[in-house]
Amino acid sequence: MSAINAVGVVKAYSATPVLRGIDLSVAQGAIVALLGPNGAGKTTLVEILEGHRMRTGGTLSVLGLDPAERTDFRSLRQRMGVVLQQTMLEPGISSRDLLRRQSSYYSHPMEVQDILCKVGLADKQNDLVRTLSGGMRRRLDIALALIGHPEILFLDEPTTGLDPLSRRSIRELIREVNSAGTTVILTSHDLEEVQDLAHTVHVLSDGAFIASGSPREIIAGSHSKTQVRFLLGGIEPSSLPAGAEVNAGMVRYETLDQDHLIAALQRWSTDAGQPLQGLTVIPPSLDDAYATLLQPAVTTGGNP
Ligand code: ADP
């Protein structure tokens, strides 16, 4: 069974359409990321999936239930965890007491000590929330969402504003939770994080998906360019094959056909007797693909 199955989900505020017929199928155990610029409709979609907003049309099932039905929503709340972009944790309570209280809302919660260990807060459990660092608070947010053993976890910008080590530890936690079987729906503007974590990515623009697939498929489908670089050294820039950009002692090419470009550069290198020092090939990232998908007008330039 799919964790999520949406067909033709539509949302309009007054007469303004914001979601224009979303089809979304999420397999159980997947990590799925929703990307898109501000105003694309991500929050609206996620909140419809969570049952916190009503759709205007279409059919939706989350864990076999319809989040828009009140009885289904009550069951769903027991089976899902939500980490909002910004949470307001009570500052004057300890992590342990906050988790204890949260666990009382669920019929089969995790042990508070187990979740504290899982998120790496066991030695801080008696400290008041206001004394915790940003990274620790985020881990506490995630612990609060996990304590009910959710089958599906919604994470909105889980690592925004955190230092690199905290980001890494939260990514590892997400992977661990997912390996134990929890489906994860992630919204993030950190495309490196998404490329690292997500099995499937959906790019939302103006209320419709404009690309869907694995990060690798999105990158391939976006026709983003590969960069090829080498050191200028003693090369006379005007002698280089067409298309070179020379900057700060580096020669840079962009291409959609890396094999063709490298073969051409190697032929030139042999003929000119100039080595391609420090030749580096940088494949496009999800970040590049996203930029290409959303700003096709700014990606110009020919291939040599
Ligand atoms: P995102 O999360 O991708 O930034 P949102 O789902 O928040 O996008 O918003 C999508 C569009 O819907 C935006 O144009 C926004 O102004 C509009 N919108 C969001 N919530 C409401 C609301 N409660 N009433 C009217 N318009 C809204």
Side-chain angles (χ1 to χ4, degrees):
M1 191 181 64
S2 303
I4 295 177
N5 197 18
V7 180
V9 167
V10 171
K11 175 70 179 176
Y13 293 112
S14 304
T16 311
V18 168
L19 296 179
R20 302 162 184 273
I22 297 289
D23 295 334
L24 174 66
S25 178
V26 175
Q28 275 181 352
I31 301 183
V32 171
L34 297 173
L35 306 182
N38 292 333
K42 301 179 299 295
T43 308
T44 302
L45 176 58
V46 168
E47 291 191 1
I48 287 172
L49 301 176
E50 294 166 352
H52 293 126
R53 274 192 221 200
M54 295 298 122
R55 63 187 184 272
T56 316
T59 60
L60 175 61
S61 124
V62 178
L63 304 177
L65 299 166
D66 183 346
E69 296 290 336
R70 288 301 95 183
T71 43
D72 280 11
F73 175 64
R74 277 195 290 276
S75 315
L76 204 50
R77 273 176 63 167
Q78 287 284 321
R79 297 169 61 192
M80 72 180 182
V82 176
V83 177
L84 298 172
Q85 195 173 126
Q86 275 173 337
T87 53
M88 296 290 283
L89 297 173
E90 276 171 68
I93 189 170
S94 70
S95 309
R96 189 193 52 208
D97 289 346
L98 202 51
L99 285 162
R100 269 195 192 146
R101 191 174 67 197
Q102 183 82 354
S103 76
S104 70
Y105 303 142
Y106 294 95
S107 32
H108 304 290
M110 287 176 78
E111 290 293 331
V112 169
Q113 287 307 320
D114 289 350
I115 189 74
L116 280 164
C117 289
K118 195 189 225 352
V119 302
L121 287 176
D123 58 343
K124 299 279 177 191
Q125 60 180 289
N126 295 316
D127 295 10
L128 299 184
V129 164
R130 70 164 154 263
T131 68
L132 300 178
S133 69
M136 288 174 195
R137 282 189 207 197
R138 209 58 181 142
R139 280 186 269 152
L140 181 56
D141 287 337
I142 296 175
L144 289 163
L146 289 178
I147 196 151
H149 277 305
E151 291 163 60
I152 186 163
L153 178 65
F154 292 91
L155 292 167
D156 192 358
E157 296 280 347
T159 64
T160 300
L162 300 183
D163 63 77
L165 280 182
S166 300
R167 284 217 295 271
R168 180 191 286 220
S169 88
I170 286 177
R171 283 184 202 183
E172 278 165 12
L173 180 60
I174 295 169
R175 248 192 291 271
E176 192 186 317
V177 167
N178 174 253
S179 311
T182 302
T183 306
V184 176
I185 309 296
L186 173 72
T187 48
S188 177
H189 288 295
D190 180 343
L191 299 185
E192 192 199 318
E193 174 172 289
V194 168
Q195 186 168 351
D196 185 33
L197 282 176
H199 305 136
T200 307
V201 173
H202 298 278
V203 182
L204 194 61
S205 174
D206 196 18
F209 288 145
I210 56 166
S212 296
S214 66
R216 189 187 287 255
E217 286 165 346
I218 300 267
I219 293 165
S222 73
H223 303 295
S224 300
K225 291 180 179 172
T226 297
Q227 278 189 33
V228 176
R229 294 182 187 173
F230 53 92
L231 291 171
L232 182 63
I235 299 170
E236 167 54 43
S238 61
S239 72
L240 283 162
E245 243 180 62
V246 180
N247 195 2
M250 289 294 292
V251 181
R252 195 173 77 99
Y253 286 88
E254 283 192 342
T255 182
L256 288 171
D257 187 347
Q258 144 190 350
D259 293 345
H260 178 263
L261 172 66
I262 289 174
L265 287 172
Q266 278 167 344
R267 271 196 309 277
W268 172 85
S269 165
T270 309
D271 293 349
Q274 293 281 6
L276 302 174
Q277 292 177 65
L279 183 71
T280 312
V281 177
I282 306 167
S285 63
L286 189 59
D287 207 65
D288 298 320
Y290 182 80
T292 308
L293 280 166
L294 287 157
Q295 301 165 6
V298 300
T299 55
T300 54
N303 287 306

